[in-house]
């Protein structure tokens, strides 16, 4: 595996972890809209982390989501339940 792609993937996963920490803080302060936003971005950064391992990226969130679902959910690599979670978070 290309070292640069692995480093990019790791960086994006760290971004996701920061978003989760922020979401928890916001939720504990009853800022549910902010918590939902940070939760969505945690999911988004996780998807981009996986895509980085392939050297794939998109300029739009919808492109990331569509590619991830097609390549990783529909193929069974990730559970189909994840597709619903992604869709709900995006909406």
């Amino acid at each position: 595996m290309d070292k640069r792609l692995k480093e990019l993937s790791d960086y994006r996963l760290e971004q996701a972890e920061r978003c989760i920490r922020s979401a928890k803080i916001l939720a504990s302060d009853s800022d549910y809209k902010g918590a939902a936003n940070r939760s969505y971005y945690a999911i988004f950064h996780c998807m981009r982390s996986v895509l980085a391992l392939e050297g794939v990226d998109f300029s739009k969130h919808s492109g990331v989501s569509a590619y991830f679902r097609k390549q990783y959910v529909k193929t069974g690599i990730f559970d189909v339940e994840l597709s619903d979670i992604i869709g709900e978070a995006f909406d």
Side-chain angles (χ1 to χ4, degrees):
M1 176 183 306
D2 185 317
K3 181 181 176 184
R4 292 172 294 145
L5 295 179
K6 175 70 168 102
E7 288 172 352
L8 178 58
S9 177
D10 289 346
Y11 171 74
R12 289 178 177 170
L13 195 55
E14 289 171 12
Q15 286 179 301
E17 291 169 347
R18 284 194 299 274
C19 287
I20 288 293
R21 285 194 300 272
S22 295
K24 288 178 180 180
I25 292 167
L26 291 166
S28 71
D29 194 37
S30 300
D31 182 355
Y32 303 115
K33 186 175 182 177
N37 175 277
R38 293 292 86 203
S39 296
Y40 165 75
Y41 273 95
I43 294 167
F44 177 70
H45 291 308
C46 283
M47 288 188 296
R48 287 186 74 214
S49 175
V50 172
L51 270 54
L53 297 173
E54 283 188 63
V56 174
D57 201 11
F58 297 88
S59 61
K60 295 186 178 187
H61 288 224
S62 58
V64 170
S65 178
Y67 184 86
F68 183 86
R69 286 172 164 177
K70 180 180 177 187
Q71 295 300 114
Y72 294 96
V73 177
K74 286 191 177 190
T75 60
I77 295 172
F78 286 95
D79 193 278
V80 70
E81 179 182 306
L82 189 57
S83 185
D84 295 336
I85 293 168
I86 293 166
E88 288 177 26
F90 184 77
D91 291 340

